[in-house]
Amino acid sequence: MAEVVVTGRDGVGCTVTADSGCALMDALRDADTGIEGTCGGAMSCGTCHVYVDPVWAERLPPKSDEEAEMLEAISDFVELRPTSRLSCQIPMDDCLDGLKIEIAPPV
Ligand code: FES
């Protein structure tokens, strides 16, 4: 289990608890942070886009080619940052306790 420090689209912060083994997207969606996760983690919607705090970004598994392609596909609609990730591709575990992310604008 890990506590994730979230900055919402309105700039207001909150903390979300994520179970180990689940995707970050599931925890963010269940906590009503504005993350939709429409495709359920199939990397075909981009509605789970988050900006990861730069300090934490390096600790995450690297992006797959498919994740990078999906992010590129939404770049016409939303700002991408170097630490942009699809939260459905971030598996949670205890090592990520304290992870800081910001919810990206809607696609
Ligand atoms: S939930 Fe659709 S791309 Fe992540």
Side-chain angles (χ1 to χ4, degrees), residues 25 36-49 70 86-89:
M25 178 273 285
E36 295 178 19
T38 308
C39 75
M43 283 192 284
S44 61
C45 72
T47 64
C48 63
H49 177 205
M70 187 65 238
L86 297 178
S87 58
C88 67
Q89 300 304 306

Side-chain angles (χ1 to χ4, degrees), residues 16-92:
V16 171
T17 301
D19 291 331
S20 296
C22 81
L24 174 60
M25 178 273 285
D26 292 315
L28 295 175
R29 183 187 56 198
D30 293 350
D32 291 328
T33 59
I35 288 292
E36 295 178 19
T38 308
C39 75
M43 283 192 284
S44 61
C45 72
T47 64
C48 63
H49 177 205
V50 297
Y51 304 121
V52 178
D53 183 282
V55 171
W56 282 93
E58 296 175 5
R59 302 190 206 180
L60 299 179
K63 279 178 227 166
S64 65
D65 290 345
E66 292 82 6
E67 181 181 355
E69 287 169 13
M70 187 65 238
L71 286 166
E72 184 62 30
I74 64 172
S75 65
D76 287 342
F77 311 105
V78 64
E79 175 197 4
L80 292 187
R81 298 180 188 169
T83 63
S84 285
R85 295 295 303 261
L86 297 178
S87 58
C88 67
Q89 300 304 306
I90 300 176
M92 294 305 299

